[in-house]
Amino acid sequence: LKSERGLRSIYGYMAVTNGVASGFSPILVAFFRTFPGFTAAMYSAFSVVEFVGRSIGSALQYRIKIPEKKRYGFAFFVYQFYEAMDMCLLWLPYPLMLVNRAICGFLGSNSAILRSSAVQRYIPERLRSRVNALSSVLLTAGASVFSLLMGFLGEVLDYRWCVTIGGAVAMLASWLLIWGRRADVRKVYEV
């Protein structure tokens, strides 16, 4: 990966955004259990709606073909949209939270499938297992670090601010790693 800035950028961003999402999980549970007017059952419905959005998005991804020249732009748009939706998530009324998660589930599954297929096409077959193993290590490291950081933030800040800050960090990572290195990242998406 030393010579592959595009792959490094994609994997770095995925480590940050997945790490932040892992850190969100306990924060979201705590928010729904402690914030007035919210319940654990509402959190369950919240999770189901996101799952349904992901399922529909995955089903449609195989029926809609995104032109090669538009894949990078679509992925970057989804990353920005997803992070912005995360930043405002806990500030919304509950029905809009459900809409937020359904849309994020739908778009998130589409970008994940697009990214995965692009990366697998880009990596030579003889290196795929090693690169995929490194990706797993980076995702696990990101989840560990950001779970710890989000837990710390949850001890000192309102849960809504924790999620907003986490989304902002992930958005910054997207701008630095995906947009800032767009020429290299575009090669991976549009191979």
Side-chain angles (χ1 to χ4, degrees):
L1 290 177
K2 285 181 183 178
S3 63
E4 291 294 342
R5 281 179 46 143
L7 284 176
R8 281 197 328 262
S9 293
I10 291 169
Y11 286 144
Y13 170 69
M14 293 318 300
V16 171
T17 191
N18 286 329
V20 166
S22 293
F24 281 175
S25 295
I27 296 290
L28 291 174
V29 171
F31 175 82
F32 276 91
R33 293 183 58 104
T34 61
F35 203 77
F38 288 88
T39 65
M42 291 170 85
Y43 175 74
S44 297
F46 178 87
S47 300
V48 168
V49 166
E50 185 170 10
F51 171 76
V52 169
R54 286 187 184 281
S55 299
I56 293 169
S58 296
L60 288 178
Q61 174 65 25
Y62 293 106
R63 288 171 177 56
I64 299 170
K65 182 159 176 70
I66 298 172
E68 289 177 12
K69 293 295 179 195
K70 294 187 179 197
R71 290 179 183 166
Y72 167 81
F74 175 77
F76 183 70
F77 165 76
V78 170
Y79 298 157
Q80 293 304 291
F81 187 83
Y82 203 103
E83 306 309 349
M85 294 293 265
D86 278 351
M87 290 170 63
C88 69
L89 176 64
L90 296 183
W91 302 98
L92 299 171
Y94 185 69
L96 291 179
M97 285 182 182
L98 296 176
V99 171
N100 177 314
R101 287 298 92 182
I103 293 169
C104 284
F106 178 84
L107 290 174
S109 67
N110 278 282
S111 72
I113 292 167
L114 186 66
R115 181 189 63 255
S116 179
S117 65
V119 166
Q120 293 308 310
R121 277 193 315 269
Y122 186 79
I123 300 171
E125 191 171 337
R126 61 185 169 71
L127 297 175
R128 283 187 191 148
S129 61
R130 283 192 251 171
V131 172
N132 288 335
L134 176 63
S135 171
S136 295
V137 168
L138 289 174
L139 292 177
T140 302
S144 300
V145 168
F146 282 101
S147 291
L148 183 64
L149 292 173
M150 292 299 288
F152 171 74
L153 280 178
E155 291 292 322
V156 297
L157 293 175
D158 181 295
Y159 296 139
R160 293 174 295 184
W161 282 110
C162 296
V163 173
T164 300
I165 290 168
V169 167
M171 185 176 278
L172 178 63
S174 173
W175 277 100
L176 293 174
L177 297 170
I178 304 300
W179 181 257
R181 296 180 179 169
R182 62 190 166 277
D184 298 310
V185 174
R186 187 181 297 272
K187 287 181 204 170
V188 176
Y189 276 100
E190 297 176 358
V191 68

